[in-house]
């Protein structure tokens, strides 16, 4: 977000990352095959109605139909409006395709969340900034909710207002206006903007909580569930923090039933540390991690706890079976990381991005560069990883990337997970965020 000098993107899956542009990918592809013909940008589908759901426990399922949905910030604009206000947030919904036996993202089932229509007004004014930050079911109704950042008016005097708002999910998806997130005064510290929200069940009660950056090395801990007016069930005094940038997604790293989160000391290259959840929330600082540009968490081997991979320009360093501090290293180019189980064997692969986009195979003994897969870019331009998550419901993670060609052209591509080849050689779905231009809802 632009408020307070921070800009955060929403990412799903088991990776914790700064959102950085990557150099264009290249190199040979793998030998996987696509499940169906790609939906190309040149043949953009007509808009479809958002499927109606009845509620689910699936992640990022805003309409509750049991299928994961995709969130997109920074939509491309028309050449005449390339430097205009925020275009809004794009949602692509998951749906059944073909005979109903195959599921995945359907670019036709898309929705534009526009700040003029969906944002809560502050002092009668709609925000100019409207960015997705985090997603989880905050009110426990079976529909994922979206936390967004805005730019409320502030004269620079005293404590700034809360820039975060909540859009609640429903059987029709993200409809209606957002409400402002309520952070009680007693849960705040200092005069920083309260931002960098991270969802997680940090106290193990089954309800999603929020952690938000406060200031002076503190975190605001908001216990869920939340009311439809944006208020938490409870919020105590700010908690001490080993850094200033709480980073999602939260995961139960040590398998004790409480979600944990990573906190970085700064944006960009920086050290970080795990903050462990417990009955009182995320109160204990755990393993410290070495300096790096990015961190990914996942079961890269057959250990009881998760593992951490730290990416830097010098390669990737690893700590196996967190929260212990057993170090290893693997020499691979690429400093921006993500993780997911592409072949469905229960062990995560590591996505390493830089000049090329590579996937390192996870094995029972840990990560291995043997059989490393290079993923070709879907189009000409600059490519970055958007997310790694299972959009088809087949138990295998899919890789979603976005390639930019200037400020007004882009291609979003989904490479499906593959048991044999990790991901398909060609995208199974492609589309452009330009398809959101001119939408009324």
């Amino acid at each position: 977000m632009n408020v307070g000098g921070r800009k955060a993107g929403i990412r799903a899956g088991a990776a914790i990352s700064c959102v950085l542009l990557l150099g264009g990918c290249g190199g040979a592809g793998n030998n996987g095959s696509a499940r169906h013909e790609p939906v190309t940008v040149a043949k953009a589908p007509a808009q479809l109605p958002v499927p109606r759901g009845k509620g689910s426990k699936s992640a990022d399922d805003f309409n509750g139909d049991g299928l994961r949905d995709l969130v997109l910030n920074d939509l491309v604009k028309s050449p005449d409006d390339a430097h205009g206000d925020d275009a809004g947030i794009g949602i692509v919904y998951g749906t059944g395709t073909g005979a109903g036996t195959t599921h995945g993202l359907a670019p036709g089932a898309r929705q534009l969340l526009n700040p003029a229509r969906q944002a809560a007004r502050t002092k009668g004014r709609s925000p100019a900034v409207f960015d997705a930050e985090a997603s989880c079911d905050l009110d426990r109704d079976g529909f994922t909710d979206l936390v967004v950042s805005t730019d409320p008016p502030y004269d620079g005097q005293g404590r700034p207002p809360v820039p975060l708002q909540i859009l609640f999910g429903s059987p029709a998806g993200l409809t209606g206006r957002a409400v402002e997130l309520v952070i009680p005064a007693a849960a705040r510290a200092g005069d920083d903007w309260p931002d960098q929200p991270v969802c997680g069940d940090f106290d193990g009660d089954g309800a999603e909580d929020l952690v938000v950056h406060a200031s002076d090395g503190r975190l605001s801990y908001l216990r869920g569930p939340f009311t439809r007016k944006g208020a938490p069930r409870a919020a105590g005094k700010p908690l001490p923090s080993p850094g200033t940038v709480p980073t999602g997604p939260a995961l139960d790293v040590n398998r004790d039933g409480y979600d944990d989160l990573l906190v970085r000391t700064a944006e960009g290259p920086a050290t970080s540390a795990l903050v462990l959840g417990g009955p009182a929330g995320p109160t204990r600082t755990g393993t410290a991690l070495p300096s790096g540009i990015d961190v990914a968490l996942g079961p890269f081997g057959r250990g009881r706890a998760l593992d951490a991979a730290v990416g830097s320009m010098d390669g990737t360093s690893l700590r196996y079976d967190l929260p212990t501090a057993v170090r290893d290293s693997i020499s691979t180019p690429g400093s921006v990381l993500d993780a997911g189980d592409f072949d469905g064997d229960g062990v995560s692969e590591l996505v390493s991005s830089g000049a090329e986009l590579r996937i390192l195979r996870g094995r029972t003994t840990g990560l291995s560069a043997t059989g490393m897969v290079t993923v070709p870019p879907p189009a000409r331009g600059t490519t970055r990883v958007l997310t790694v998550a299972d959009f088809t419901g087949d138990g295998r993670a899919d890789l979603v990337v976005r390639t930019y060609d200037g400020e007004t052209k882009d291609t979003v591509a989904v490479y499906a997970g593959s048991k044999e080849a990790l991901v398909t050689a060609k995208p199974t779905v492609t589309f452009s965020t330009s398809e959101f231009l001119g939408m009324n809802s």
Side-chain angles (χ1 to χ4, degrees):
M1 59 184 287
N2 296 330
V3 178
R6 287 192 171 90
K7 173 75 175 179
I10 182 169
R11 300 185 63 186
I16 296 177
S17 174
C18 308
V19 180
L20 301 175
L21 290 179
L22 313 180
C25 297
N30 58 70
N31 297 320
S33 59
R35 296 181 194 171
H36 52 80
E37 288 298 314
V39 179
T40 64
V41 174
K43 299 178 181 179
Q47 188 174 354
L48 301 173
V50 173
R52 293 188 65 87
K54 298 181 179 179
S56 79
K57 294 183 179 181
S58 298
D60 290 341
D61 183 10
F62 303 109
N63 58 335
D65 65 349
L67 299 172
R68 185 185 288 264
D69 310 315
L70 178 66
V71 182
L72 296 159
N73 278 324
D74 303 319
L75 307 179
V76 298
K77 305 174 184 178
S78 67
D80 296 333
D81 193 35
H83 302 289
D85 288 341
D86 195 333
I89 301 165
I91 308 293
V92 177
Y93 287 87
T95 185
T97 59
T101 57
T102 302
H103 298 85
L105 292 172
R110 57 189 182 268
Q111 180 184 29
L112 176 63
L113 305 177
N114 184 288
R117 293 187 297 269
Q118 271 82 32
R121 294 186 176 93
T122 303
K123 298 182 179 180
R125 192 181 79 180
S126 295
V129 173
F130 203 57
D131 287 337
E133 298 282 357
S135 59
C136 56
D137 184 3
L138 291 171
D139 59 349
R140 300 186 73 176
D141 64 351
F143 301 93
T144 301
D145 310 310
L146 186 66
V147 183
V148 300
S149 60
T150 66
D151 58 342
Y154 176 53
D155 62 7
Q157 302 298 314
R159 180 171 285 179
V162 176
L164 302 174
Q165 300 184 6
I166 303 172
L167 279 163
F168 288 100
S170 74
L174 294 167
T175 59
R177 282 199 179 270
V179 300
E180 295 178 350
L181 174 67
V182 177
I183 303 180
R188 297 187 61 176
D191 292 332
D192 283 2
W193 287 92
D195 58 9
Q196 302 287 347
V198 178
C199 289
D201 181 10
F202 301 107
D203 57 4
D205 66 351
E208 292 287 339
D209 313 312
L210 279 177
V211 164
V212 177
H213 163 73
S215 60
D216 303 323
R218 302 280 178 173
L219 299 174
S220 295
Y221 170 47
L222 311 177
R223 292 178 183 257
F226 288 70
T227 70
R228 299 287 290 200
K229 294 184 178 181
R233 177 177 62 85
K237 294 181 179 180
L239 301 176
S241 171
T244 60
V245 188
T247 311
L251 300 166
D252 184 4
V253 172
N254 53 3
R255 308 299 197 194
D256 64 352
Y258 305 98
D259 280 344
D260 315 306
L261 77 154
L262 191 85
V263 177
R264 300 175 64 83
T265 55
E267 294 190 2
T271 58
S272 57
L274 289 168
V275 177
L276 305 178
T283 59
R284 299 170 294 150
T285 298
T287 304
L289 297 176
S291 181
I293 296 174
D294 203 1
V295 178
L297 302 176
F300 300 124
R302 290 290 189 186
R304 183 183 68 86
L306 297 189
D307 313 312
V310 180
S312 68
M313 301 307 295
D314 297 328
T316 300
S317 61
L318 303 170
R319 290 181 179 232
Y320 283 99
D321 287 340
L322 293 172
T324 58
V326 178
R327 291 194 180 188
D328 195 357
S329 63
I330 187 167
S331 178
T332 178
S335 55
V336 180
L337 308 178
D338 215 314
D341 182 5
F342 294 107
D343 54 5
D345 66 352
V347 177
S348 285
E349 278 69 50
L350 180 70
V351 181
S352 178
S353 304
E356 290 186 320
L357 180 60
R358 298 177 174 88
I359 303 177
L360 282 72
R361 191 180 295 272
R363 302 183 184 278
T364 57
T365 54
L367 289 172
S368 172
T370 302
M372 180 172 60
V373 170
T374 300
V375 182
R380 295 178 61 88
T382 301
T383 299
R384 73 178 184 185
V385 176
L386 281 181
T387 188
V388 175
D390 181 8
F391 289 97
T392 59
D394 63 357
R396 296 192 290 267
D398 308 308
L399 174 66
V400 185
V401 302
R402 186 176 181 182
T403 298
Y404 295 85
D405 183 7
E407 295 183 352
T408 60
K409 295 181 181 179
D410 73 346
T411 301
V412 178
V414 181
Y415 294 83
S418 168
K419 183 177 181 180
E420 296 79 17
L422 295 185
V423 295
T424 52
K426 296 181 179 181
T428 54
V429 174
T430 62
F431 62 93
S432 171
T433 66
S434 64
E435 295 169 24
F436 292 93
L437 296 177
M439 293 182 63
N440 294 319
S441 61

